[in-house]
Amino acid sequence: MSTAKIRPFDETDRFELRTLFARAGDGVPPGSFWGHPEAEASVYLDPYMDLEPESLFVAEADGALVGYLTGCLDSATFPSEGARMEFAIRKYRLALRPQSMVFFGRAIADTVRTKLRKEPATEDFHDPRWPSHLHINVAPEARGTGAGSALMEAWFDRWTQAGSPGCYLQTLVENPGAVRFFQRMGFTAYGPSPLVPGVRYNGKRLHQQTMVQSAPELG
């Protein structure tokens, strides 16, 4: 594979980017939440193409998209993850789908378990020190080629030049490769690591890890 070129998202990328979304997470947790790629794209991809396309970057190699990064400069102005998930559940009637019903059953059990044990729960992240956020995905064939780092560098330039004081992201404790990658890119772990309700990977429960990075001080 040739070196990936990083460029801003273009509206003509929409169809190919949705196709990439459906396979970019192969081989790493969390895999699929609901077994419904279109619904999951309506949470983690479509809103960024629709509402903040100028903060979306793609990696292209050999004429095909092999990675992308969706960003948001001010999370307070963007629909929360919880709200986006509720919309997807209603729109795609996920509660009526057999595969999704398994997820919701586990989610209820996990939520009860967390409350009984008085453990931290997952929730939308709000902190004015880190108002920006990102999601990044790289296709299996492009991992280890530098495409992910190049996407992160493009996003770093975007949010720092826009004057944001900081950025956060959320990954999984059970994906140590991702945690190490984000650490190399300047992010540090922040806060507790709560159980993600309903989500399993190879039969194991997963835990959310929030990571943050502050903009460099300019002297």
Side-chain angles (χ1 to χ4, degrees):
M1 175 180 291
S2 62
T3 302
K5 171 188 176 183
I6 308 302
R7 60 172 176 80
F9 165 77
D10 185 270
E11 184 61 30
T12 59
D13 297 321
R14 185 175 288 262
F15 177 79
E16 186 178 0
L17 193 52
R18 286 179 64 85
T19 301
L20 174 61
F21 175 89
R23 68 182 185 87
D26 290 350
V28 293
S32 175
F33 281 16
W34 304 312
H36 195 299
E38 189 175 0
E40 292 169 18
S42 75
V43 178
Y44 296 109
L45 179 61
D46 294 350
Y48 297 89
M49 292 193 292
D50 296 338
L51 302 176
E52 198 166 338
E54 63 276 12
S55 292
L56 200 166
F57 299 91
V58 298
E60 186 176 30
D62 302 324
L65 298 186
V66 296
Y68 67 88
L69 183 151
T70 57
C72 174
L73 290 177
D74 185 356
S75 302
T77 67
F78 203 81
S80 70
E81 182 176 12
R84 286 179 274 134
M85 292 184 76
E86 290 178 9
F87 173 79
I89 291 169
R90 292 195 305 270
K91 179 178 180 180
Y92 295 98
R93 301 182 179 181
L94 296 176
L96 303 178
R97 295 174 55 85
Q99 186 170 351
S100 300
M101 289 174 65
V102 173
F103 167 86
F104 292 122
R106 289 196 307 249
I108 292 170
D110 287 344
T111 299
V112 171
R113 177 178 184 268
T114 296
K115 289 183 178 180
L116 290 176
R117 295 188 176 193
K118 298 181 179 180
E119 296 173 342
T122 56
E123 57 185 3
D124 290 319
F125 184 82
H126 300 287
D127 193 308
R129 293 174 293 179
W130 305 290
S132 301
H133 74 261
L134 71 94
H135 300 283
I136 184 172
N137 255 325
V138 176
E141 67 270 19
R143 293 172 193 159
T145 67
S149 297
L151 284 166
M152 292 289 286
E153 289 167 1
W155 169 238
F156 181 85
D157 289 342
R158 165 75 175 151
W159 67 265
T160 57
Q161 291 177 11
S164 173
C167 180
Y168 79 91
L169 60 87
Q170 290 176 321
T171 186
L172 295 167
V173 173
E174 291 77 11
N175 190 351
V179 173
R180 290 192 297 270
F181 168 73
F182 292 128
Q183 288 173 334
R184 290 197 302 271
M185 300 307 299
F187 285 81
T188 57
Y190 178 81
S193 301
L195 175 69
V196 183
V199 181
R200 300 290 188 274
Y201 187 74
N202 292 335
K204 297 181 179 179
R205 291 183 172 90
L206 302 178
H207 298 79
Q208 183 183 75
Q209 179 63 69
T210 298
M211 304 186 75
V212 299
Q213 180 177 180
S214 298
E217 295 184 7
L218 302 178

